Amino acid sequence: MLLAATCLFGLEKQLGEEIDALGLKRVETIDGRVLFEGEEKDIPRANINLRLAERVFIVLGRFHAESFSELFDGTYSLPWQEWIGRLDEFPVTGHSIKSKLTSIPDCQSIVKKAIVNRLSTEYGISWFEETGVKYKVEFFILKDEAMLMIDTSGLALHKRGYRPDAGAAPLRETLAAAIALTSRPKEDVLIWDPFCGSGTIAIEAAMIARRIAPGLKREFAAEKFARVTSDMWEQARQEAAALEIKDSSFEVWASDIDEDILDVAYENALRAGVEENINIFCADARKIEKPTDRRGTIVCNPPYGERMGEMREIEQLYREIGRNFKNFEPWHIYVITSCEYFEKLYGRRADKIRKLYNGMLPCNFYQFFKPEQFRVDRPQNKTFNKNKSFDNKNKYIKPKK
């Protein structure tokens, strides 16, 4: 069986490595998706364990399609009856990129008609009630090559379930996981997000360190598929749960200048089951100080503005954190932002830059891991987190108004 995992652009390599770690064989990698071989039992495993995938699909077939007749014939030739029953629902969605077939509604109509005709031939009926299990069909046409698939995930996989309220400008969970994976969470290395917002990067880092499967607490569309049995799902969940590290000493600091968002971050961490690994407190990223007795890494998604007044403030913020983060050497520092001239404002050239996307928003992921001196000395500010909101037992204390 051929399966496909989709992802945000730029995450294909890391997603492929996740698929390898599950013991599954990669077949092909294209922009935004990785194809791999598997069995029915691997559908639950992929959905529950893949941190960077947006969805997992069953690939029914691939064929060349420059015309609607080729699209119809190719779709009709596929074994839809092996999955879709006579009462089941099968809505059709899809995309077409750099192909002769540009009309998505027309492609939807052709694919739907071809599936209906194929199932009519197999079941000997001409009308389908579509009141049963939903098998969402998706076509993907790239350079006149069509791929017909069935979605097994349902709700997108980045929706883990711990973040019903994400705050302003949320970072998608799958992207936060990719950033956290790059920072290589370890028990003896502190990770600090000084722009934590709703806590997504900190939570994903803690889940990685503790080996908590991202899909362990949610449901999936394929749980209702006849060929993907409840025993397969139960087995996959048990295997994933057995990998969790219960007594991890891994620690993340999650701070933000906005006291109100800290409540949201704590509730999210609580739902994710990692609140004991995260210190959440109020602090200004421009004034924080490096702990003298810790190895550490800064990983953050600083704010950005769209209006001119906002941009001036953001540019000044980037300059100030550049001056302050210099004092954290030899810590590694990872920053994701949509600002294309961030390095100039920050005052240092990144050792590595990756082009990533937060949904459809293009971003650069700046990685600083080689200690070096800034060209111009800048004044240092030593004021640090006077309003820290944790007691000695690591319990969250709501900041006083």
Side-chain angles (χ1 to χ4, degrees), residues 160-163 202-204 206-208 210-213 216-217 244-248 250 265-278:
R160 322 285 205 211
Y162 65 73
R163 198 177 73 166
I203 291 169
E204 292 293 331
M207 291 177 68
I208 291 167
R210 289 185 50 186
R211 299 183 184 178
I212 298 175
L216 202 53
K217 296 182 179 180
E244 181 181 344
I245 300 173
K246 302 288 187 180
D247 57 350
S248 173
F250 177 75
Y266 178 72
E267 292 297 327
N268 289 344
L270 191 65
R271 277 185 288 267
V274 294
E275 74 282 359
E276 291 298 321
N277 300 96
I278 305 179

Side-chain angles (χ1 to χ4, degrees), residues 28 67 74 76 78 84 86 91 95 113 123-124 168 183 216 255 262 271 290 305 351 370 384 391 395-396:
E28 184 181 355
S67 65
Y76 180 87
L78 302 179
I84 303 173
R86 62 179 63 219
H95 306 275
K113 182 178 179 180
Y123 295 133
S183 72
L216 202 53
S255 62
L262 298 179
R271 277 185 288 267
K290 182 181 73 171
D351 299 307
K370 296 178 181 178
F384 175 64
D391 64 12
K395 293 182 179 179
Y396 176 71

